[in-house]
Amino acid sequence: MLSRHQDPIAAIATAPGRGAVGIVRVSAPQDLTPLVTAICGRALKPREATYLPFRSAQGEAIDHGLALLFPAPHSYTGEHVLELQAHGGPVVLQLLLARCLEADPALRMRLAEPGEFTRRAFLNGKLDLAQAEAVADLIDASTEAAARSAGRALAGALSGEVGGLRDGLIQLRMLVEATLDFPEEEIDFLEQADALGKLRRLLQRVEALLDRSRQGAILREGIKVVLAGQPNVGKSSLLNALAGAELAIVTPIPGTTRDKLSQTIQIEGVPLHISDTAGLRDTEDEVERIGVARSWDAIADADVVLFLHDLTRVGHADYEREDADIRGRLAQVDPARILQIYNKADAHAPHGLPEGALTLSAKTGEGLDALRRRLLEQVGWHAVPEGLFIARERHVQALRRTQEHIGLALAQAETEPPALDLMAEELRLAHDALGEITGAFTADDLLGEIFSRFCIGK
Ligand code: GDP
Ligand code: ZN
């Protein structure tokens, strides 16, 4: 019986809406000759673009465009792939897609699910899991640095490092397991092979990769910042000042719907997702109440809350009362995530401020660099000399477990006499954890979860 992963599939591969060009993509393990003949009216040379009319079932031209056939296994998915490049109108593309679905009834072609083309590329060994994820991350990248790092992950930077660690682990496992078979010589054998030294070096390499992956995950996720504070303290001005310095392209976080009060800017290529709170006061107004509730959601989810104060009004009774009110409301937020910011330093000299407070001027830009550094610090960002690759929290977690099990293996190796069977078990667990990154040992439901977040046609 064929699994659904062997169904012929088709989808519009380009973004919805109008464009100069739109692409319908087909992938199938089965021969596509009858389908190609029906739609293109002729055979296609492999990997060569041919300009021709795409025919409807009645033989009329739906559109004229380029047809490209990539016979298996030399295609994105590793299956036979047909790409039809037509004019990028939604109706044309829907007609062409419908035509692909029925042109060869024997195929029983169906619509592709999100990410299904890439999932097949993974299943057919064209990409490993970390690379497949990098495809989505490249598409979703919100800064240039994130896009470049996704490109590096796609090219195999993370996978290559993981492969090197896996080879080291396999070597050690073989050594330990061979020794288990000859218990009378065990200690000598391990010593000769410098098993302890190898294990320690492996642990160092895992730790280094874990650090780089953490940075890669920050680059992917960015820093979530909330601006809090009374009206007129300078929240909008600060947002503009931070945004004003940037030159590169930024886009909002993909997949999240955000109101107009939030935007994404960047610091050193790290996306900074900033939302301005709609005030945090008690209110009778229904619309305002929704705004306040949304502010609280943003605050609960934030890496940093910037609590802004106005130096020109500090000390005034009305002002202090309002500030105390907001402070009270922020009391349920972890203090480590709240940064006290004193704005308008150009207009009023700061004095007697609480410890750790930052003074700045959104107007002159004074103090902004210190704020940027502080924000990066807050999420543990530091520049990585080896070049970054994008990573996900999933990779970080898997590396953490790898680190933990290698650490436990090391502890077993250091006992007197070494507990070889426990050591072998820990190394096996470390190997499994590492394999999750590239998909060597990945449960089907996790795969489903990962690929379902892709766009359709990818
Ligand atoms: P928000 O209501 O908190 O968003 O505050 P705004 O950004 O709209 O700023 C309120 C007022 O304070 C405006 O008139 C700004 O020009 C002024 N303002 C903001 N930042 C500064 C600053 O650093 N120095 C001075 N002198 N004025 C500022
Ligand atoms: Zn404002």
Side-chain angles (χ1 to χ4, degrees), residues 227 230-237 261 276-277:
L227 293 173
Q230 305 179 44
N232 287 315
V233 292
K235 297 184 293 299
S236 305
S237 305
L261 290 178
D276 194 349
T277 55

Short mmCIF file of all heavy atoms in Angstrom, two decimals, residues 227 230-237 261 276-277, ligand 2:
data_model
loop_
_atom_site.label_atom_id
_atom_site.label_comp_id
_atom_site.label_asym_id
_atom_site.label_seq_id
_atom_site.Cartn_x
_atom_site.Cartn_y
_atom_site.Cartn_z
N LEU A 227 7.19 48.71 25.50
CA LEU A 227 7.39 50.05 26.05
C LEU A 227 6.23 50.36 26.99
O LEU A 227 5.08 50.30 26.59
CB LEU A 227 7.38 51.08 24.92
CG LEU A 227 8.54 51.03 23.92
CD1 LEU A 227 8.28 52.01 22.78
CD2 LEU A 227 9.84 51.38 24.62
N GLN A 230 3.71 56.34 31.27
CA GLN A 230 2.61 57.28 31.12
C GLN A 230 2.62 57.96 29.75
O GLN A 230 3.66 57.98 29.09
CB GLN A 230 2.72 58.39 32.17
CG GLN A 230 2.82 57.92 33.58
CD GLN A 230 2.95 59.11 34.51
OE1 GLN A 230 2.25 60.12 34.36
NE2 GLN A 230 3.84 59.01 35.47
N PRO A 231 1.52 58.57 29.39
CA PRO A 231 1.50 59.37 28.17
C PRO A 231 2.57 60.47 28.26
O PRO A 231 2.86 60.98 29.34
CB PRO A 231 0.11 60.00 28.16
CG PRO A 231 -0.74 59.09 28.99
CD PRO A 231 0.18 58.52 30.03
N ASN A 232 3.16 60.79 27.10
CA ASN A 232 4.11 61.90 26.98
C ASN A 232 5.48 61.71 27.63
O ASN A 232 6.24 62.66 27.74
CB ASN A 232 3.50 63.21 27.50
CG ASN A 232 2.47 63.73 26.54
OD1 ASN A 232 2.71 63.75 25.34
ND2 ASN A 232 1.32 64.12 27.05
N VAL A 233 5.79 60.47 28.05
CA VAL A 233 7.14 60.27 28.59
C VAL A 233 8.15 60.09 27.46
O VAL A 233 9.36 60.18 27.67
CB VAL A 233 7.22 59.07 29.56
CG1 VAL A 233 6.44 59.36 30.83
CG2 VAL A 233 6.74 57.79 28.90
N GLY A 234 7.65 59.78 26.25
CA GLY A 234 8.56 59.65 25.10
C GLY A 234 8.65 58.25 24.51
O GLY A 234 9.65 57.92 23.87
N LYS A 235 7.61 57.46 24.67
CA LYS A 235 7.65 56.08 24.15
C LYS A 235 7.76 56.07 22.62
O LYS A 235 8.61 55.38 22.07
CB LYS A 235 6.39 55.31 24.60
CG LYS A 235 6.28 55.16 26.12
CD LYS A 235 5.09 54.33 26.52
CE LYS A 235 3.75 54.97 26.21
NZ LYS A 235 3.54 56.26 26.93
N SER A 236 6.88 56.85 22.00
CA SER A 236 6.92 56.88 20.53
C SER A 236 8.23 57.46 20.03
O SER A 236 8.80 56.99 19.05
CB SER A 236 5.76 57.71 19.98
OG SER A 236 4.55 57.22 20.48
N SER A 237 8.71 58.48 20.72
CA SER A 237 9.97 59.10 20.31
C SER A 237 11.12 58.11 20.42
O SER A 237 12.00 58.06 19.56
CB SER A 237 10.28 60.32 21.18
OG SER A 237 9.20 61.22 21.16
N LEU A 261 0.52 49.27 16.66
CA LEU A 261 1.36 49.82 17.72
C LEU A 261 2.65 49.03 17.91
O LEU A 261 3.42 49.31 18.80
CB LEU A 261 0.59 49.84 19.04
CG LEU A 261 -0.53 50.87 19.10
CD1 LEU A 261 -1.26 50.78 20.42
CD2 LEU A 261 0.01 52.27 18.88
N ASP A 276 4.26 49.11 21.72
CA ASP A 276 3.96 50.25 22.58
C ASP A 276 2.68 49.87 23.33
O ASP A 276 1.74 49.41 22.71
CB ASP A 276 3.74 51.47 21.68
CG ASP A 276 3.77 52.77 22.45
OD1 ASP A 276 3.76 52.72 23.70
OD2 ASP A 276 3.77 53.83 21.81
N THR A 277 2.67 50.04 24.63
CA THR A 277 1.45 49.69 25.35
C THR A 277 0.46 50.84 25.26
O THR A 277 0.82 52.00 25.25
CB THR A 277 1.75 49.41 26.83
OG1 THR A 277 2.41 50.56 27.35
CG2 THR A 277 2.61 48.20 26.98
ZN ZN B 2 3.14 57.62 22.06
#
